[in-house]
Amino acid sequence: MNNGAIADISAWSVDWVWGVPLTVITLVAHVVWLGIFDRNLVRVARLPWFAVRARLGFILVMSGAVLLAVLLHAAEAMFWAIAYVALGALPDPRTAMLFSMEAQTSFAHDAFFLAPHWQMLGALEALVGVMMFGLTVAFLFSMMQRVGPANER
């Protein structure tokens, strides 16, 4: 292994030191909030009003679930954006938020790049995005099964 390769690996170690805790905190928070949303939305769906208006109730509950999921993803992107600015990896909150949303969604449209020594952190956030979207899809699918009009109470 040459000195350049060793320098690359040691530069990435800082990414892992920051990236692993950011990853764990984000994913644990995501699961906790989805659980809170689930419990409360199912409780709302079980109210007598929703039994009488099952289809409308389903639409309202699922709309609420989608809105809450979108807000949760935005808050988690903001969490990473704050970290990027605090670490000096990106110059300002706007750029950091846009980069974070693009990393989490794999959109990568704008030409914002992290400095080479922070690039692994961006890749870790992309991994977080894939995992969060998988969890969110599972949450929404579960909600549809449990509160849908086909699920007569």
Side-chain angles (χ1 to χ4, degrees), residues 73 98-108 125-126 129-130 133:
H73 281 267
L98 188 53
F99 178 87
S100 183
M101 288 297 291
E102 290 183 352
Q104 287 185 16
T105 61
S106 301
F107 181 60
E125 185 180 10
V130 169
F133 281 102

Side-chain angles (χ1 to χ4, degrees), residues 47-61:
L47 293 173
W49 183 90
F50 288 92
V52 175
R53 296 164 190 86
R55 292 200 190 285
L56 179 59
F58 173 71
I59 291 168
L60 292 174
V61 169

Side-chain angles (χ1 to χ4, degrees), residues 22-140:
L22 285 167
T23 297
V24 171
I25 290 167
T26 305
L27 290 171
V28 167
H30 195 77
V31 169
V32 167
W33 279 106
L34 289 178
I36 291 168
F37 298 161
D38 182 77
R39 183 180 63 239
N40 289 306
L41 289 167
V42 168
R43 186 178 308 143
V44 166
R46 301 289 183 237
L47 293 173
W49 183 90
F50 288 92
V52 175
R53 296 164 190 86
R55 292 200 190 285
L56 179 59
F58 173 71
I59 291 168
L60 292 174
V61 169
M62 289 309 299
S63 295
V66 169
L67 175 63
L68 290 170
V70 168
L71 293 173
L72 180 59
H73 281 267
E76 291 158 341
M78 190 180 304
F79 175 65
W80 280 78
I82 290 167
Y84 288 129
V85 172
L87 293 169
L90 289 167
D92 58 80
R94 182 192 175 283
T95 301
M97 185 64 178
L98 188 53
F99 178 87
S100 183
M101 288 297 291
E102 290 183 352
Q104 287 185 16
T105 61
S106 301
F107 181 60
H109 176 264
D110 284 309
F112 298 125
F113 299 101
L114 296 172
H117 64 282
W118 289 116
Q119 288 175 348
M120 182 60 75
L121 190 60
L124 289 170
E125 185 180 10
L127 172 66
V128 166
V130 169
M131 294 175 76
M132 286 190 319
F133 281 102
L135 290 165
T136 301
V137 168
F139 159 72
L140 292 172

